[in-house]
Structure formats: structure tokens, C-alpha cells
Amino acid sequence: DIVMTQSPDSLAVSLGERATINCKSSQSVLYNSNNKNYLAWYQQKPGQPPKLLIYWASTRESGVPDRFSGSGSGTDFTLTISSLQAEDVAVYYCQQYYSTPPGFGQGTKLEIK
Amino acid sequence: EVQLVESGGGLVQPGGSLRLSCAASGFTFSGYAMSWVRQAPGKGLEWVSYISSSSSTIHYADSMRGRFTISRDNAKNSLYLQMNSLRAEDTAVYYCARGTYCSGGTCLLDYWGQGTLVTVSS
């Protein structure tokens, strides 16, 4: 099974500042035949289901603000929020959809400093 | 608008059974794989099970295999999860989610329901 590990577990950032969350997979999630990384990021606000933010490691889902960006390849990935807004307070999860079982990271709780 | 609405959760005693349902609308249900994902109180996300669009391929997480059964009825636009031999550690919110860009039983989960709470306690 591919194990997903996020860092840090929690993060406090001032409004308007940059927030960076890391995700590392125990095996590469890059599919060589199509050169795509099978890595997604989800945002979960309190009392709500997860919401898809980013897929293929760097493609923003429709409607997601452009302050959210994803990067990385192979085993190391990053979610960046360029200018933190109050509504971005949430727990963020990475997920690999390269192989079964589809593993999630443990989550990173993002708060306002 | 894609909608997924779970139902069937509740309080059940250890060793008991429960059947969850997920009603889908706003998309061609028969064209998509579906998954169940759960979240224990205050914890992270845990994938439970996957079913392909035609029900030809099914996968389970190791801890649920043999106790849980996923199924779907494309004519009724519905997904199900039959849960038997329930344990306290199965207490969680159970989400159904639509799968896309699937690869061998694993999918990107692009839409999620609001979830239904299952509590296993005596």
C-alpha cells in the first residue's frame, strides 16, 4: 500500500501570508505512460464533507480560487495558498489515486495566526 | 447539479448490522464508479470501498473485507453499503463519493455527499 504523509500536522499563518503544506508518498504516483501524477488535494471545513481542490497534482478544480496551487512530482508534493483568506481555515488532505487502496494523508489543520 | 445524499446511519450495538444508502442525482449515475469513505470523530479520512460503474469490479479496505458489502442499483441511481459485525471502531461519518479518472479500482473523488453518522455502541 502507498502511505501518504503530510507535514506539518498543523499550521498557523497570518491573513494575507503564504501557507505551504507538504505531502510525501511512500512510492511514486507518477504514471509514466501519460506523465501524470495521481495526486489530489481536498479541503474540509468543519461540519462539511471534503471538497476537491487540486488533481493531477497541479490542476485546479473548476471554481477553486487561483490563490490555491499544487506542485511536485513523483513522491513529493506541495499545496500552496498564496495569500491566506479567513475562509481558507480548514483541514487539508492529500490523496493518491494511483493504486488501490487509495490512501489519504493524515491531514493538515490550517488556522489563522 | 451533482447531488449525493446518504441515509441509513444511526446507533447500532456491537455485532449488529446497518445498511447505508446514497441517492445520486444530477449526473449519469451508471457512467461513474463510486466509493465509500469514512471519518471517525475528530480523525482523518479512510477509504472504505469501491465499485465500478457496472459493478464488475469491487474493492474493500482490508479491515472491512468480509464484513462490508458494497452494491449499486443503476436503475435507481443508488449506492449501498451493507455493514455487518459492526465494531466500536466502525463509528464514523460515512461519505459516498463519485469517482472519476479511475485507475484499477482507485479514483479521484470529485463529488462527496454530506455523510451519515454511524455510531456503534452498547
Side-chain angles (χ1 to χ4, degrees):
Chain A
D1 297 1
I2 298 178
V3 177
M4 309 300 291
T5 304
Q6 292 180 226
S7 62
D9 290 334
S10 63
L11 181 63
V13 174
S14 300
L15 289 173
E17 296 300 305
R18 178 185 300 261
T20 301
I21 299 170
N22 300 301
C23 175
K24 188 175 183 66
S25 59
S26 60
Q27 303 171 39
S28 175
V29 298
L30 174 62
Y31 196 35
N32 290 328
S33 66
N34 59 10
N35 201 37
K36 289 184 180 293
N37 287 283
Y38 283 59
L39 189 285
W41 289 96
Y42 300 87
Q43 175 193 64
Q44 187 178 32
K45 296 182 179 180
Q48 295 185 20
K51 172 189 173 185
L52 176 64
L53 291 179
I54 302 275
Y55 57 100
W56 301 135
S58 61
T59 301
R60 261 190 312 274
E61 175 73 329
S62 176
V64 172
D66 61 7
R67 64 180 179 272
F68 291 90
S69 64
S71 63
S73 184
T75 61
D76 292 279
F77 301 91
T78 300
L79 174 69
T80 301
I81 307 172
S82 60
S83 176
L84 189 71
Q85 304 300 303
E87 61 265 32
D88 300 334
V89 169
V91 179
Y92 293 84
Y93 296 92
C94 61
Q95 179 225 345
Q96 65 83 11
Y97 50 106
Y98 179 89
S99 67
T100 303
F104 292 91
Q106 78 276 20
T108 295
K109 186 175 184 179
L110 178 59
E111 299 173 313
I112 304 295
K113 185 186 291 182
Chain B
E1 178 193 6
V2 172
Q3 285 200 332
L4 299 168
V5 180
E6 301 93 338
S7 61
L11 176 64
V12 61
Q13 292 189 338
S17 299
L18 214 53
R19 189 195 195 206
L20 306 184
S21 299
C22 171
S25 61
F27 66 102
T28 304
F29 182 71
S30 60
Y32 287 85
M34 298 293 294
S35 290
W36 288 97
V37 177
R38 71 182 185 182
Q39 186 170 37
K43 302 298 184 182
L45 301 171
E46 180 183 23
W47 172 76
V48 173
S49 184
Y50 158 95
I51 186 168
S52 64
S53 58
S54 66
S55 304
S56 60
T57 302
I58 286 173
H59 293 286
Y60 298 98
D62 287 346
S63 61
M64 293 139 220
R65 190 174 295 113
R67 300 190 299 125
F68 290 10
T69 302
I70 191 171
S71 62
R72 65 189 294 162
D73 185 336
N74 286 343
K76 294 183 177 180
N77 292 337
S78 294
L79 174 72
Y80 307 101
L81 185 67
Q82 177 67 44
M83 304 186 295
N84 299 329
S85 303
L86 283 163
R87 309 164 180 164
E89 54 265 36
D90 295 319
T91 294
V93 173
Y94 284 74
Y95 297 102
C96 66
R98 189 179 82 167
T100 188
Y101 299 125
C102 299
S103 169
T106 294
C107 303
L108 174 69
L109 303 173
D110 62 350
Y111 287 93
W112 298 60
Q114 289 295 314
T116 187
L117 175 62
V118 172
T119 303
V120 184
S121 174
S122 55

